Amino acid sequence: MPAIVSVQNLRKAYAGGFEALKSVNLDIEDGEILALLGPNGAGKTTLISTICGITVPTSGRITVGGHDTQTDFRAARKLIGLVPQEINLEPFETVFSTVSFSRGLFGKPRDDAKVEEILKQLSLHDKKDNKIMMLSGGMKRRVLIAKALAHEPQVLFLDEPTAGVDVELRKDMWDVVAGLKASGVTIILTTHYIEEAEAIADRIGVISKGEILLVQDKADLMAQMGRKQIQIELAQAVDDIPDALKSYALERADDGLSLIYSYDTTGERTGITTLLNDLQKTGLQMKDLQTRQSSLEDIFVDLVKETA
């Protein structure tokens, strides 16, 4: 698929010398959901702000739909919808007028039918005449998304869209994002919730200290970098791992009742059969055996550790 957003050698440095972004290169494909993961201060919000024209880059080039964000800002910005982290809405305005006003800011003609369509899509239609101050936190988040969609952008940036939202509302928001993708909107979201990226993203990007560590298809990432663990539950606790098993780099549980063996799923041999044979030779009795696939969180933590 063609890239609808292209970031080339993007750098953002401040007067004190701090580099928030360091030669970032990123292509975002038309119609995908890209989740950008990173710890606090990694540069996620700075990257989004720079693409959206809020922050001026020190160097580099950004295009949105083929339009350069520096030389053709208006055309590029019209293609972008931005949902910020902060809920900053006029409390005494109605939902409908709030969304309609945002449409006008981008020079779009009044279209009540389109605004109603967006409100229905986000399950806000029954609240359209309510004042913002009457809404719950989750509903206010939806209004922010509706505002960002009012001018019919092709690309939607969601900066921590479920921050401070409870688990039930978070999963509800995931359904909203999936629905937006189905309608043809390209979505880029930053998140601290790794399960969020695992649940809804097509590709995962990891950023740390202003640098993109990787951007990869979610399934491929987990297949290539994922590890599995086998937890061997023992009939009796052990105080230490027997010398005959030391070469397997086993981990002993605190209670001594289980041993954990990690292995690479992409390796030619896992070593499991040999391990179980050697375990039997030591005289230890196995009570149960469980496997666990490493999660995206494990992969993310390992990647960030490498750059620490």
Side-chain angles (χ1 to χ4, degrees):
M1 282 188 279
I4 192 167
V5 177
S6 182
V7 178
Q8 300 170 13
N9 300 315
L10 181 64
R11 179 173 172 267
K12 177 60 184 176
Y14 292 94
F18 173 69
E19 279 190 294
L21 298 173
K22 305 172 184 177
S23 298
V24 170
N25 290 284
L26 177 64
D27 283 338
I28 299 165
E29 298 173 0
D30 189 14
E32 75 169 327
I33 299 177
L34 173 70
L36 195 60
L37 298 174
N40 287 328
K44 301 187 299 295
T45 298
T46 303
L47 177 57
I48 284 182
S49 297
T50 308
I51 295 173
C52 293
I54 299 169
T55 300
V56 178
T58 303
S59 60
R61 185 170 185 260
I62 305 167
T63 60
V64 181
H67 301 285
D68 191 295
T69 58
Q70 294 295 298
T71 60
D72 197 8
F73 172 75
R74 287 183 180 275
R77 189 63 182 86
K78 282 183 178 180
L79 299 178
I80 296 172
L82 171 63
V83 181
Q85 289 185 37
E86 300 81 13
I87 297 177
N88 187 11
L89 297 167
E90 173 52 56
F92 297 102
E93 285 290 340
T94 66
V95 170
F96 190 91
S97 63
T98 297
V99 178
S100 297
F101 181 72
S102 289
R103 181 176 175 84
L105 287 176
F106 285 86
K108 287 280 187 177
R110 178 171 176 171
D111 189 340
D112 290 354
K114 185 62 185 178
V115 172
E116 297 223 7
E117 179 187 323
I118 292 169
L119 295 180
K120 287 176 182 176
Q121 185 179 11
L122 295 170
S123 301
L124 285 168
H125 193 260
D126 62 333
K127 307 287 186 183
K128 69 175 184 174
D129 296 323
N130 287 25
K131 291 183 178 180
I132 297 296
M133 65 183 193
M134 298 170 62
L135 303 180
S136 66
M139 285 294 177
K140 288 176 182 175
R141 290 274 177 198
R142 288 171 181 261
V143 173
L144 287 176
I145 296 175
K147 276 170 54 68
L149 292 173
H151 64 285
E152 303 169 61
Q154 295 180 30
V155 182
L156 182 66
F157 287 92
L158 301 168
D159 197 5
E160 301 285 350
T162 58
V165 173
D166 64 38
V167 174
E168 186 177 350
L169 284 174
R170 193 181 305 158
K171 291 182 178 178
D172 192 30
M173 193 68 75
W174 297 352
D175 292 337
V176 169
V177 171
L180 292 173
K181 179 193 174 183
S183 69
V185 180
T186 301
I187 298 165
I188 301 92
L189 67 95
T190 69
T191 181
H192 280 90
Y193 301 113
I194 294 178
E195 73 272 20
E196 190 159 67
E198 200 163 355
I200 63 177
D202 299 309
R203 289 197 301 160
I204 305 291
V206 178
I207 185 171
S208 181
K209 297 182 179 178
E211 296 181 280
I212 297 286
L213 303 184
L214 66 80
V215 179
Q216 198 166 347
D217 179 87
K218 178 180 65 181
D220 289 346
L221 175 64
M222 295 186 69
Q224 290 177 24
M225 301 187 68
R227 297 186 305 275
K228 275 193 173 180
Q229 289 183 336
I230 286 183
Q231 182 169 320
I232 303 168
E233 294 186 20
L234 304 172
Q236 292 183 325
V238 292
D239 295 325
D240 196 9
I241 296 171
D243 290 339
L245 301 178
K246 290 286 177 69
S247 63
Y248 293 98
L250 298 171
E251 295 179 43
R252 186 184 72 91
D254 292 338
D255 59 8
L257 285 170
S258 60
L259 302 175
I260 300 168
Y261 174 60
S262 299
Y263 63 96
D264 186 353
T265 58
T266 62
E268 290 184 11
R269 296 182 180 179
T270 62
I272 296 171
T273 302
T274 309
L275 167 62
L276 295 180
N277 286 336
D278 289 346
L279 180 74
Q280 188 176 26
K281 290 176 184 177
T282 64
L284 296 178
Q285 291 186 349
M286 184 174 68
K287 182 180 179 181
D288 196 6
L289 190 70
Q290 297 180 12
T291 61
R292 174 182 175 269
Q293 176 75 45
S294 65
S295 68
L296 183 58
E297 182 170 5
D298 300 324
I299 297 168
F300 169 72
V301 170
D302 288 344
L303 281 170
V304 174
K305 272 183 183 177
E306 290 175 9
T307 63

